[in-house]
Amino acid sequence: MIFKSEFKGSFNTGEVKEITIGYPVAIFLESDPLNGITTILSTGVLYEGMKWCIVVLILSILFGRFVCGWVCPLGTLNHLFGLVFTEKKKAQRINENRYRESFKIKYYILLIIIASALCTSLLTGFMDPISLLTRSLVTSVIPVLNIIVRWALDILALSNIGFIQKIGDMLYNFADKTILSFSQQHFHRGYIIGIVFITILLLNRRITRFWCRFLCPLGALLGIASWFSIFGMEKENEKCTDCNLCLVNCQGGCEPIGRVNWHSNECHMCFNCQRVCPENVIRFKLFPQKKEIIDTPNLNRRRVVSSFAAGLLVYPFARASDEVKVNFNEKLIRPPGALSEEEFLARCIKCGQCMRICPNNALHPATWEAGPEGIWTPVVIPRIGYCEYNCTLCTQVCPTGAIRKLTLDEKIGKNGKNPVKIGTAFYDRGRCLPWAMATPCIVCEEWCPTPKKAIWLEKTKVIAPDGKEVLVKRPHLNVELCVGCGACETKCPVGDKPAIYVTSIGETRSKENQILLTPFRRKRR
């Protein structure tokens, strides 16, 4: 679905029409119970498509953590990285697959996330496995993969050997339909997300499914849901010969071996233990006998209280910072349709779907522009890409409504309504070619997409350095018509720091982040 969540097409500038994507690209995120519950806690509502998470939660209550063993894509990756090309001996695998008290860490992490969500500070996206995987693939893995594949295909194409070039063409056709992006994307500091992701995968070389067993808050939530499971394990202890094959193949570290209590809340329902047991000691069945089962993690009360308190403290610490209300960061340009900053932070799960779907590579993971809560939330960086005038794709894929759905008419402002504005452009006349260097240039005016140009030109005769008189067209900006799309900044021919730049001032979503003395007043059409 991630590979299908890229727009591969073109925008016809001569005709403004709605563009939609035909795949349910956010279905994994919408089915995630952790995303669903925490956004309910932080906003008081369950957003549209996230109703699927209720189905998953009910199934988990009935049948345990089957999602961890059979559905979660990050769990599958963790398992593969933990087992492929490993030289671990049987005794080592038995030792690492035993239950450990430190598995309880994930429950404390879950408590921190829930407590912060109650205060409308949504930290879910940092640790939720589906959001983490999606963000990592979108901003780091896929761009790196594209560079490597294109580099390899270029080598084949430049080999000047006929059959190798034909093989290269075949591989290119296959890659173009599957993994290659329409154009090479570059994400701001995506390498940091990539390093985090690789570290998580490498930890599996130490202990298989390290993330799932120790850190995953979704696993903890599903473990709690499994307390009420009607499906579980029964053992015939007298048959057990202590061959330990069940421990060698256990995914969750739940102690399936005979004569030992089974930790049902840690079981991934992989059924490996039942499959490999030579004596048929283990059976999974409906309504098993509740003996020799530990179905609760027996958490330390002090740590429960301290974890919950830590979650409650996130909100005042983060909001005491200046970025959200009193010192608006000029680089915090949110995508069109983004809710007000406080509501946005209460909903955004930092999944990166909007970044993937953006056709112009305009959306990037934030670093500190929105404070600690806003790390890896989407921001527009106009120097890299601009917001396409007739595009609403990012508003269609947001699973939590942090970016509300917009129709094209709403975005561009038809039927007497104002267009959605994400910022305002400003000129640096000291760097502008017509203003500072007596050089003709109208690139910004040409790229301005609004029907009535927000950039207008003033014909002026200026004296060039050689003393000759030159006719230039000096650009000016109508602040009221500018929607802050950033096309002018993206295309400005002045490298590094452009002569025209966009800041977040004037954004529709904020009543405070405005120019108080508006130079022009727009008349409604």
Side-chain angles (χ1 to χ4, degrees):
M1 281 300 174
I2 288 176
F3 287 106
K4 289 293 183 184
S5 61
E6 183 191 36
F7 176 70
K8 294 186 176 182
S10 62
F11 291 89
N12 184 353
T13 54
E15 182 184 2
V16 178
K17 62 180 182 179
E18 190 94 41
I19 296 170
T20 58
I21 189 163
Y23 300 95
V25 295
I27 191 164
F28 259 94
L29 295 157
E30 292 171 341
S31 306
D32 185 330
L34 182 62
N35 286 337
I37 288 176
T38 50
T39 49
I40 289 174
L41 295 175
S42 62
T43 64
V45 295
L46 183 64
Y47 188 70
E48 294 181 9
M50 300 208 76
K51 292 168 185 169
W52 285 108
C53 76
I54 297 174
V55 177
V56 174
L57 192 60
I58 291 173
L59 290 175
S60 300
I61 290 172
L62 295 176
F63 301 108
R65 289 175 60 180
F66 75 95
V67 170
C68 302
W70 296 92
V71 181
C72 180
L74 183 59
T76 304
L77 277 177
N78 281 330
H79 198 71
L80 289 174
F81 267 78
L83 293 180
V84 174
F85 303 122
T86 182
E87 296 179 354
K88 291 178 183 174
K89 296 180 180 178
K90 181 180 176 182
Q92 191 178 356
R93 291 177 64 182
I94 292 171
N95 182 49
E96 74 175 42
N97 286 343
R98 300 305 296 259
Y99 175 79
R100 304 175 189 217
E101 286 296 308
S102 45
F103 287 179
K104 297 174 183 175
I105 292 173
K106 59 180 175 287
Y107 293 94
Y108 301 124
I109 293 173
L110 176 64
L111 283 169
I112 293 173
I113 291 173
I114 287 176
S116 63
L118 286 170
C119 300
T120 72
S121 183
L122 196 63
L123 305 181
T124 312
F126 290 118
M127 298 292 287
D128 174 70
I130 308 297
S131 303
L132 186 153
L133 178 63
T134 309
R135 177 176 65 243
S136 303
L137 292 178
V138 166
T139 62
S140 181
V141 176
I142 292 177
V144 170
L145 191 62
N146 268 263
I147 287 177
I148 293 173
V149 170
R150 289 179 195 278
W151 172 73
L153 291 174
D154 285 346
I155 289 178
L156 296 178
L158 296 173
S159 64
N160 285 330
I161 302 175
F163 79 94
I164 291 181
Q165 288 177 323
K166 285 183 179 178
I167 292 173
D169 291 341
M170 292 170 60
L171 291 174
Y172 174 81
N173 290 332
F174 173 75
D176 187 47
K177 293 176 182 175
T178 52
I179 58 174
L180 273 185
S181 298
F182 182 68
S183 60
Q184 179 63 47
Q185 293 189 311
H186 305 271
F187 289 98
H188 185 60
R189 292 177 182 165
Y191 61 86
I192 297 176
I193 296 173
I195 289 171
V196 172
F197 183 60
I198 290 171
T199 303
I200 290 170
L201 294 181
L202 290 178
L203 284 171
N204 294 292
R205 306 301 290 180
R206 179 74 177 172
I207 295 178
T208 305
R209 283 194 172 239
F210 183 95
W211 172 271
C212 312
R213 296 179 185 179
F214 293 89
L215 301 175
C216 181
L218 176 60
L221 177 67
L222 298 178
I224 292 171
S226 71
W227 295 353
F228 312 101
S229 174
I230 61 171
F231 185 74
M233 178 192 293
E234 272 189 8
K235 303 178 191 176
E236 295 185 52
N237 291 320
E238 63 278 6
K239 291 184 178 179
C240 182
T241 58
D242 294 328
C243 68
N244 290 324
L245 285 174
C246 55
L247 289 177
V248 171
N249 293 279
C250 181
Q251 289 192 19
C254 60
E255 301 284 29
I257 191 170
R259 294 183 291 277
V260 178
N261 289 334
W262 176 54
H263 291 260
S264 62
N265 57 308
E266 300 295 339
C267 181
H268 293 181
M269 295 294 162
C270 63
F271 307 128
N272 286 345
C273 51
Q274 178 177 287
R275 178 176 56 82
V276 299
C277 182
E279 311 297 338
N280 293 323
V281 173
I282 299 168
R283 286 185 303 160
F284 281 87
K285 58 184 291 189
L286 290 170
F287 303 106
Q289 294 181 11
K290 293 284 184 178
K291 62 180 185 179
E292 297 177 331
I293 293 177
I294 298 175
D295 54 10
T296 58
N298 191 23
L299 301 177
N300 181 291
R301 290 182 184 176
R302 289 185 179 178
R303 288 178 183 170
V304 168
V305 173
S306 57
S307 300
F308 200 79
L312 294 177
L313 287 174
V314 168
Y315 178 84
F317 268 100
R319 299 297 168 92
S321 185
D322 60 344
E323 293 92 347
V324 178
K325 276 192 172 180
V326 296
N327 184 20
F328 303 107
N329 191 316
E330 74 276 8
K331 293 183 179 178
L332 186 61
I333 305 171
R334 294 296 191 190
L339 303 179
S340 66
E341 189 60 19
E342 286 186 312
E343 290 182 90
F344 186 84
L345 293 176
R347 285 179 179 267
C348 181
I349 56 172
K350 308 164 183 64
C351 62
Q353 278 283 11
C354 53
M355 303 174 204
R356 173 67 175 163
I357 199 77
C358 180
N360 292 340
N361 198 194
L363 292 174
H364 298 263
T367 47
W368 290 99
E369 292 89 344
E373 292 172 279
I375 291 175
W376 296 334
T377 55
V379 292
V380 178
I381 301 183
R383 196 54 181 150
I384 302 174
Y386 62 93
C387 179
E388 189 69 43
Y389 184 66
N390 57 339
C391 174
T392 59
L393 289 172
C394 61
T395 76
Q396 298 173 30
V397 298
C398 182
T400 61
I403 306 172
R404 70 179 177 90
K405 286 186 178 176
L406 289 177
T407 64
L408 184 58
D409 288 351
E410 281 181 286
K411 187 189 175 192
I412 64 178
K414 282 190 173 180
N415 304 319
K417 296 182 179 178
N418 291 330
V420 174
K421 190 178 169 81
I422 61 174
T424 306
F426 293 89
Y427 278 102
D428 183 345
R429 292 183 177 180
R431 300 176 67 84
C432 181
L433 297 178
W435 280 99
M437 305 175 201
T439 303
C441 176
I442 58 169
V443 172
C444 54
E445 192 269 347
E446 287 179 327
W447 276 90
C448 183
T450 54
K452 185 178 180 182
K453 296 278 186 178
I455 294 172
W456 53 279
L457 304 171
E458 174 194 17
K459 290 183 179 178
T460 308
K461 290 182 179 178
V462 296
I463 304 301
D466 60 2
K468 294 181 179 178
E469 195 175 69
V470 179
L471 179 64
V472 297
K473 295 179 180 178
R474 286 176 167 173
H476 297 266
L477 185 87
N478 186 335
V479 175
E480 281 295 300
L481 293 176
C482 179
V483 294
C485 67
C488 50
E489 181 176 339
T490 307
K491 301 300 178 181
C492 179
V494 180
D496 61 29
K497 186 179 177 183
I500 185 167
Y501 57 95
V502 177
T503 77
S504 62
I505 192 75
E507 54 185 346
T508 301
R509 71 190 187 111
S510 172
K511 294 180 180 177
E512 294 83 18
N513 189 22
Q514 301 294 327
I515 299 174
L516 300 180
L517 300 176
T518 308
F520 303 101
R521 185 176 296 279
R522 179 185 299 150
K523 293 180 180 178
R524 288 193 173 185
R525 288 165 287 180

